[in-house]
Amino acid sequence: MKEHIVTTYDEDLNSLKSNLTQMGLDVEKQIFEAVNLIKIINITKAKEIIKNDESIDALEKKIRGFATITLSKRQPLADDLRQIIISLKISSILERIGDHASNVAGRILSVKKAPDSYSTDSIHQLGLLVLKNFSTALSAYDQGSKKIAQSVPTEDITINSVYETCFREHLHLMMEDREIIGFCTQMLFVAKELERIGDLSKVISKEVIYNLQGTLK
Amino acid sequence: MTEKIKIKSKNVNVYYGQKKALDKINLEIPTNKVTALIGPSGCGKSTFLRCINRMNDTIDICRIEGKIIVDEEDIYSTEVDPVLLRAKIGMVFQKPNPFPKSIFDNVAYGPKIHGIVNSDDELEELVIYSLKKAGLFGEVKDRLNDTGTSLSGGQQQRLCIARAIAISPQIILMDEPCSALDPIATAIIEELIDELAKNFTIVIVTHSMQQAARVSQQTAFFHMGSLIEVGHTDQIFSTPSQKKTQDYITGKIG
Ligand SMILES: Nc1ncnc2c1ncn2[C@@H]1O[C@H](COP(=O)(O)OP(=O)(O)OP(=O)(O)O)[C@@H](O)[C@H]1O
Ligand SMILES: [Mg+2]
């Protein structure tokens, strides 16, 4: 990789990228913890996740501020400019994904305990798929890989069908046992949050592809 | 580009003595558009600009091969009178170079020697028109008899632009016209370039990538005497196709 004549320029761009990578890892951890909550409900953990969302929001603001200063200081062009624009876009998507993870924790907080008859397997399974596809989207950005990015939308199709299955399964559960309607409704909201994270991972992968299309052949 | 072409260079080589300064330059410059020439110092931008109005003729050791075609006519053919040619092409230099004459006479000089006007009234009208076009009239209307050199740098540059416009050229060549100007004077000149591009074909050499991106529609990147890449300005500055171009505009080495 060629370097800029002005070394502080490289330092600025590198630090932008490392802040974004950090934000990605933090959000990944939030999703991981939130998905775990589905299996093992843990009030303390749930509160922790909601609290941690603040630091993710703060990271987004930091990246935005940093990008703004770099734009005005360096007036970047070509690939440098694209790198800054994608940092802004991805950080704002990550911030929204963070919100969805925190919402999952919020729902879990409000149900407190699963009914004995209920199995969390299917939604937990959905969560694992979503987490995995999110990680794939992140590494597509990290490695600048079109190939990895292209696998994300394909996998999202599977996620959507698993979501549909969860949805139908919960309808059945609710029809069979009125006692758990309240609980199942909350879990359907959880599933919806996860499905949204899936969609947003797809958006990240599309940004990565768009960004790569502008690069040299 | 599919626009009408004003200037076409065909396999242009330029030598200063033994040294080759430009190598096989093929470049088309569209009519009534702004074309920016960019590239590192010494790559041949000014040399190329001087080919277009045959200013290189005045340099003894300079030799040119190939063709420069302006409006379908090879300007280096023996039938072309360089003086008439230069009446069609205005030039603005990096350093403002007003004549040691009054503001009025600086602008009036060209039209007089080229016999563009028939009466003093017409001349005065043309001088005022040119000063207005160059965005300078308001600042100098009460002191047209002061010397051109009494103006500030930015005003002098606009005076030189007025002088270039006064001969009603079809082409204006600008060699780093803003390099000595502050941001406000630069903005005024850039605004003027936008305005002038409605009626003139403009070729501008600039070391500011941002300026090239702002004022031009076409950008050509020169490197060590060769034309590396030419294309729509938006494309050159967002997605250049040559690595050399990208490294230059983003300031990279290694
Ligand atoms: N009058 C001259 N006599 C001899 N060599 C010259 C002359 N003018 C230019 N050159 C040489 O031709 C090459 C191109 O010079 P030119 O002035 O066209 O470069 P440039 O791209 O305009 O550079 P800059 O950005 O510094 O103005 C350089 O190597 C320069 O030394
Ligand atoms: Mg020059």
Side-chain angles (χ1 to χ4, degrees):
Chain A
M1 194 59 193
K2 288 209 180 176
E3 291 177 348
H4 287 91
I5 297 162
V6 181
T7 44
T8 52
Y9 191 177
D10 281 329
E11 285 162 21
D12 284 355
L13 290 175
N14 288 339
S15 111
L16 189 60
K17 176 148 190 178
S18 62
N19 271 302
L20 190 66
T21 304
Q22 186 57 54
M23 186 176 177
L25 292 174
D26 290 358
V27 171
E28 189 176 44
K29 182 155 178 292
Q30 288 283 87
I31 305 172
F32 174 79
E33 300 285 4
V35 169
N36 265 350
L37 281 187
I38 300 166
K39 194 96 190 155
I40 308 153
I41 293 179
N42 178 332
I43 302 300
T44 326
K45 261 266 156 354
K47 286 182 176 159
E48 227 172 74
I49 293 172
I50 293 167
K51 180 88 186 126
N52 285 345
D53 193 48
E54 288 169 16
S55 69
I56 287 170
D57 291 356
L59 251 180
E60 192 215 357
K61 289 205 183 75
K62 185 177 168 196
I63 288 169
R64 178 198 291 234
F66 204 79
T68 309
I69 290 170
T70 308
L71 283 171
S72 63
K73 214 164 50 168
R74 313 288 180 187
Q75 297 164 332
L77 290 167
D79 57 339
D80 295 338
L81 181 55
R82 278 194 299 279
Q83 194 186 324
I84 295 175
I85 291 172
I86 198 177
S87 313
L88 286 169
K89 295 204 96 173
I90 291 188
S91 63
S92 109
I93 300 168
L94 288 175
E95 190 271 331
R96 284 164 63 198
I97 293 178
D99 287 347
H100 289 298
S102 159
N103 290 347
V104 169
R107 295 285 169 189
I108 298 292
L109 257 189
S110 67
V111 298
K112 294 193 180 65
K113 192 180 168 319
D116 293 335
S117 64
Y118 181 84
S119 159
T120 55
D121 284 355
S122 66
I123 292 190
H124 185 248
Q125 184 59 28
L126 174 68
L128 291 177
L129 289 174
V130 165
L131 173 64
K132 182 156 165 287
N133 214 25
F134 171 80
S135 305
T136 308
L138 262 196
S139 49
Y141 165 73
D142 221 37
Q143 300 172 34
S145 161
K146 189 171 172 183
K147 193 159 168 268
I148 299 178
Q150 279 166 336
S151 73
V152 175
T154 316
E155 182 60 19
D156 193 52
I157 295 171
T158 311
I159 290 175
N160 286 339
S161 78
V162 171
Y163 169 72
E164 288 300 329
T165 311
C166 278
F167 188 80
R168 269 180 273 114
E169 187 190 292
H170 279 73
L171 280 187
H172 278 286
L173 288 175
M174 289 191 276
M175 284 190 285
E176 278 164 18
D177 182 357
R178 297 171 62 92
E179 295 288 295
I180 65 169
I181 286 180
F183 176 82
C184 282
T185 309
Q186 293 290 2
M187 292 314 279
L188 276 179
F189 277 120
V190 168
K192 187 71 201 160
E193 300 288 350
L194 293 171
E195 189 267 342
R196 287 297 297 139
I197 294 177
D199 282 348
L200 291 169
S201 305
K202 195 167 75 180
V203 179
I204 292 180
S205 73
K206 290 195 166 157
E207 286 296 335
V208 171
I209 292 170
Y210 180 76
N211 201 41
L212 289 170
Q213 273 163 354
T215 56
L216 298 167
K217 278 117 216 154
Chain B
M1 302 212 165
T2 54
E3 298 100 331
K4 261 184 79 191
I5 300 302
K6 185 76 182 172
I7 307 164
K8 196 182 282 184
S9 84
K10 280 190 173 170
N11 290 319
V12 168
N13 296 320
V14 176
Y15 301 84
Y16 293 105
Q18 293 299 308
K19 191 184 173 302
K20 196 172 195 179
L22 285 178
D23 186 31
K24 279 220 203 77
I25 306 298
N26 286 294
L27 179 59
E28 296 189 340
I29 291 170
T31 306
N32 293 2
K33 290 269 154 65
V34 181
T35 294
L37 310 182
I38 60 168
S41 189
C43 70
K45 304 176 298 291
S46 298
T47 299
F48 183 75
L49 211 59
R50 286 196 301 264
C51 288
I52 300 174
N53 65 350
R54 292 189 52 172
M55 282 261 294
N56 286 328
D57 292 14
T58 59
I59 302 169
D60 279 343
I61 56 166
C62 187
R63 188 162 59 81
I64 296 166
E65 293 168 355
K67 283 182 181 168
I68 301 268
I69 293 161
V70 175
D71 292 331
E72 313 293 323
E73 187 183 33
D74 181 359
I75 61 166
Y76 284 94
S77 87
T78 45
E79 286 111 70
V80 172
D81 175 353
V83 177
L84 287 180
L85 175 76
R86 279 175 218 142
K88 193 152 98 168
I89 303 176
M91 180 140 182
V92 178
F93 297 86
Q94 172 175 2
K95 282 213 199 98
N97 56 344
F99 307 132
K101 293 169 185 276
S102 72
I103 293 169
F104 185 93
D105 286 339
N106 259 281
V107 185
Y109 181 78
K112 266 194 221 160
I113 63 157
H114 290 300
I116 290 174
V117 287
N118 299 314
S119 67
D120 283 357
D121 282 354
E122 233 179 86
L123 182 63
E124 189 177 331
E125 213 173 282
L126 178 59
V127 168
I128 292 171
Y129 166 85
S130 306
L131 286 169
K132 277 187 178 156
K133 269 255 157 186
L136 185 62
F137 187 67
E139 288 156 64
V140 301
K141 61 176 187 290
D142 301 323
R143 45 189 288 208
L144 290 176
N145 292 319
D146 290 6
T147 64
T149 46
S150 69
L151 296 170
S152 77
Q155 290 170 331
Q156 288 185 23
Q157 194 60 297
R158 278 177 286 152
L159 179 63
C160 294
I161 291 173
R163 196 174 65 189
I165 302 168
I167 56 170
S168 52
Q170 298 164 19
I171 298 167
I172 300 180
L173 308 175
M174 297 181 162
D175 200 346
E176 300 179 47
C178 300
S179 61
L181 305 184
D182 76 33
I184 299 294
T186 299
I188 293 172
I189 304 255
E190 288 182 6
E191 168 68 13
L192 179 61
I193 291 172
D194 287 342
E195 174 66 25
L196 292 176
K198 291 176 190 156
N199 305 305
F200 305 95
T201 299
I202 297 175
V203 186
I204 179 173
V205 170
T206 174
H207 280 295
S208 158
M209 299 305 104
Q210 280 71 28
Q211 177 168 69
R214 286 190 299 262
V215 302
S216 72
Q217 290 79 51
Q218 174 174 268
T219 295
F221 171 61
F222 285 74
H223 183 77
M224 291 169 68
S226 297
L227 175 63
I228 303 295
E229 182 170 359
V230 57
H232 284 287
T233 296
D234 291 348
Q235 178 250 317
I236 297 284
F237 289 111
S238 58
T239 53
S241 66
Q242 298 298 314
K243 185 120 189 51
K244 275 192 182 128
T245 315
Q246 169 154 307
D247 290 344
Y248 179 70
I249 65 175
T250 58
K252 282 180 203 139
I253 44 161

